[in-house]
Amino acid sequence: MVTLRIEYPDDWSAAFHQGRDAFEQEAKMAMAVKLFEMGKLTSGQAAKLAGISRVQFLMDCARFGVPSVTWDKDEIEAEFGRLS
């Protein structure tokens, strides 16, 4: 496993009204959600990066305004049948 180190000012966690651990967890989650949204990581990979379960990751995507599932018309019709 490789480690990514990101430096940030000491007062950032206080500015966000969070402790250091909570701030760092939120930053990891934000990075994981963005990479998932961009299609660079699967939901399972993103969840692993964030250090949470896949189900929790998918549920938490909404907090960041990111849909956990994106289907095109063909996928919707395959799942639910023709809508019109």
Side-chain angles (χ1 to χ4, degrees), residues 19-69:
R20 181 176 162 224
D21 291 342
F23 175 78
E24 290 179 2
Q25 177 58 39
E26 190 75 358
K28 284 194 320 185
M29 183 65 181
M31 182 171 68
V33 169
K34 188 61 181 179
L35 291 170
F36 170 69
E37 179 184 34
M38 294 170 58
K40 303 295 184 185
L41 295 179
T42 66
S43 58
Q45 291 168 328
K48 187 172 183 178
L49 176 61
I52 59 177
S53 73
R54 182 173 174 264
V55 171
Q56 188 63 54
F57 174 80
L58 291 170
M59 291 178 12
D60 285 352
C61 281
R63 287 192 306 114
F64 294 86
V66 174
S68 56
V69 177

Side-chain angles (χ1 to χ4, degrees), residues 15 17-18 26-27 41 44 54 60 68 71 76 79 81 84:
H17 306 291
Q18 296 177 319
E26 190 75 358
L41 295 179
R54 182 173 174 264
D60 285 352
S68 56
W71 289 352
I76 291 170
E79 186 71 22
S84 52

Side-chain angles (χ1 to χ4, degrees), residues 1 3 7 26 41 43 47 51 57 62 65 77 80:
M1 178 97 31
T3 300
E7 294 182 14
E26 190 75 358
L41 295 179
S43 58
F57 174 80
E77 287 181 355
F80 300 107

